[in-house]
Amino acid sequence: MGRILLVILIIVAIWLLWRAFGPGSQKRLDAMSSPNQSPAIKGPDDDEEFLWNIEKTRFKERRAKEEADRRAKEEEERQRKFRKDEPGPDEQID
């Protein structure tokens, strides 16, 4: 009985070695670890393009807000300058 078990274990070991290192094993290995395939995306935080688009959108929103604030400040300055140049109600116009 022990000899039969030993022969079966040797056959299983040879079969496993053949599968691991025999013909066709390189193709299977290449297929499993192909560098041409993009890595599987598991969530939005793994997707670099998604993260880049979020960052780009936030930058554009921040830039638009800064531009709107700058324009509002310029308009306020123009209004203040215009009010300064206008004569007041108790000033006389020559």
Side-chain angles (χ1 to χ4, degrees):
M1 181 71 180
R3 289 182 184 173
I4 294 175
L5 186 58
L6 185 60
V7 170
I8 291 174
L9 287 175
I10 290 173
I11 291 173
V12 169
I14 290 172
W15 180 77
L16 287 173
L17 287 172
W18 182 263
R19 292 286 293 164
F21 302 110
S25 63
Q26 187 63 38
K27 283 188 257 179
R28 285 192 305 268
L29 182 63
D30 290 341
M32 288 187 333
S33 63
S34 176
N36 297 337
Q37 293 178 340
S38 62
I41 297 173
K42 296 180 178 142
D45 58 336
D46 291 342
D47 188 2
E48 291 181 22
E49 185 177 341
F50 177 76
L51 295 174
W52 171 246
N53 285 334
I54 287 177
E55 186 176 338
K56 216 169 31 172
T57 304
R58 287 182 180 167
F59 177 79
K60 286 179 181 178
E61 289 172 354
R62 194 169 54 239
R63 179 65 62 96
K65 184 178 182 292
E66 288 172 358
E67 181 68 20
D69 290 345
R70 185 185 62 80
R71 286 184 180 171
K73 190 174 182 180
E74 286 176 356
E75 182 64 29
E76 186 180 308
E77 287 291 324
R78 275 192 228 119
Q79 290 292 330
R80 197 174 323 149
K81 187 176 181 182
F82 180 72
R83 279 188 244 126
K84 200 179 224 185
D85 291 342
E86 266 185 9
D90 50 340
E91 292 180 14
Q92 288 186 350
I93 300 176
D94 294 329

